[in-house]
């Protein structure tokens, strides 16, 4: 277990963007990508949004949400939200890094914060926000059993492909659909840690993953705000 964690840590730290994108003039949000070692393999914890929520009810996501005034940074936001949503205490998370952000449907700058949690963690879902919690082997996001890509277009006309995974969970005896920005972050995390070519197409130059991922993000940002990269 220690060896698996240490290998992942070293790889993740190479990709830590820190606060490099924090200056962008967008409303901020963060998600926690909770990694655990279970049965000798890395797993990732997901939540299912409550059906009572107005925005994206019933969708799979990571613990997270919008930044609040008292949050010191993106890490603070992710840890606070994880505590509110699934009862994960901040001191029980070993934060490793912040990865290249994404932009959600509401044009928030969403920062993925990666942290290790214990495999013994028992989630206490807040029913107002979360209806279910489950884990998926991280390797599923490079070698899925059920995958398709969906075309999407942003409000500014940016065209791209969206990952969509269906994961059959034996514990819950049901399938979960993981797609959109959540799937995007899960795929990138798996690419960073495993250095494997996935069984499906991705938008990255896998030989230059750091620069490729940052360029992709800046292209998306520039397309949204019609700003030339040279002016950023």
């Amino acid at each position: 277990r220690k060896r698996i964690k240490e290998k992942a840590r070293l790889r993740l730290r190479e990709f830590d963007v820190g606060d490099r994108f924090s200056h962008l003039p967008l409303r901020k949000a963060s998600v926690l990508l909770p990694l655990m070692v279970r049965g000798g393999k890395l797993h990732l914890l997901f939540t299912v949004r409550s059906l009572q929520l107005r925005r994206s009810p019933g969708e799979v996501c990571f613990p997270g949400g919008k930044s609040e005034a008292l949050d010191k940074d993106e890490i603070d936001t992710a840890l606070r939200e994880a505590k509110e949503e699934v009862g994960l205490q901040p001191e029980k998370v070993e934060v490793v890094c912040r990865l290249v952000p994404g932009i959600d449907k509401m044009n928030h700058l969403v920062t993925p914060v990666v942290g290790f949690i214990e495999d013994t963690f028992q989630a206490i879902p807040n029913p107002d926000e979360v209806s279910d919690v489950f884990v998926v082997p991280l390797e599923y996001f490079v070698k899925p059993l059920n995958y398709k890509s969906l075309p999407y277009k942003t409000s500014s006309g940016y065209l791209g492909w969206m990952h969509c995974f269906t994961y059959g969970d034996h514990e819950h005896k049901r399938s979960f659909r993981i797609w959109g920005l959540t799937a995007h972050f899960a795929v990138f995390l798996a690419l960073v840690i495993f250095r494997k070519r996935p069984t499906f197409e991705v938008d990255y130059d896998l030989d230059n993953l750091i620069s490729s991922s940052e360029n992709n993000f800046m292209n998306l940002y520039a397309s949204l705000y019609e700003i030339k990269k040279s002016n950023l």
Side-chain angles (χ1 to χ4, degrees):
R1 182 178 295 182
K2 275 186 180 175
R3 200 173 76 249
I4 292 168
K5 278 189 177 182
E6 189 51 37
K7 200 174 170 186
R9 255 188 227 109
L10 291 171
R11 201 63 186 124
L12 285 163
R13 284 181 183 141
E14 287 178 46
F15 286 78
D16 187 6
V17 299
D19 60 2
R20 200 180 317 156
F21 298 97
S22 304
H23 68 283
L24 294 176
L26 297 174
R27 291 170 299 166
K28 306 291 191 292
S30 293
V31 290
L32 181 67
L33 278 53
L35 278 172
M36 64 176 76
V37 181
R38 191 177 269 190
K41 288 186 175 180
L42 287 168
H43 286 67
L44 198 48
L45 180 140
F46 294 87
T47 65
V48 180
R49 290 173 62 82
S50 167
L51 292 172
Q52 300 169 35
L53 293 170
R54 275 183 311 173
R55 194 164 61 83
S56 306
E59 286 193 7
V60 170
C61 60
F62 290 112
K66 289 184 280 191
S67 174
E68 293 186 358
L70 292 176
D71 296 339
K72 294 197 295 287
D73 56 19
E74 296 93 346
I75 294 170
D76 240 23
T77 302
L79 295 179
R80 174 183 53 73
E81 288 282 347
K83 182 181 178 184
E84 289 172 11
E85 291 180 11
V86 295
L88 178 59
Q89 298 301 321
E91 64 273 14
K92 297 289 188 183
V93 183
E94 181 209 328
V95 173
V96 182
C97 69
R98 284 171 273 189
L99 297 176
V100 174
I103 298 172
D104 70 7
K105 289 178 281 193
M106 311 297 288
N107 287 352
H108 288 94
L109 181 77
V110 184
T111 300
V113 176
V114 185
F116 282 111
I117 64 173
E118 290 300 323
D119 67 321
T120 52
F121 168 65
Q122 294 289 317
I124 306 166
N126 173 350
D128 293 336
E129 298 191 53
V130 173
S131 66
D132 218 336
V133 178
F134 66 102
V135 299
V136 179
L138 184 62
E139 200 171 24
Y140 196 81
F141 298 102
V142 285
K143 285 172 63 178
L145 294 175
N146 193 331
Y147 170 87
K148 62 182 174 182
S149 58
L150 306 171
Y152 78 96
K153 190 175 180 178
T154 68
S155 53
S156 66
Y158 181 86
L159 292 167
W161 290 91
M162 186 186 293
H163 302 298
C164 180
F165 299 86
T166 302
Y167 178 69
D169 186 284
H170 300 300
E171 192 181 328
H172 290 76
K173 295 183 173 58
R174 61 170 282 201
S175 291
F176 294 100
R177 186 169 179 255
I178 305 163
W179 64 298
L181 196 56
T182 301
H184 169 81
F185 288 150
V187 167
F188 187 64
L189 181 65
L191 292 176
V192 166
I193 289 176
F194 294 128
R195 301 190 189 198
K196 281 183 182 175
R197 192 165 289 278
T199 58
F200 50 89
E201 291 296 314
V202 288
D203 290 342
Y204 304 112
D205 173 358
L206 295 174
D207 296 320
N208 299 286
L209 192 52
I210 293 176
S211 58
S212 174
S213 60
E214 294 187 5
N215 288 340
N216 282 6
F217 170 74
M218 294 313 289
N219 286 336
L220 174 61
Y221 178 76
S223 80
L224 279 172
Y225 291 90
E226 297 173 348
I227 298 168
K228 289 182 180 173
K229 282 185 284 180
S230 57
N231 296 335
L232 293 173

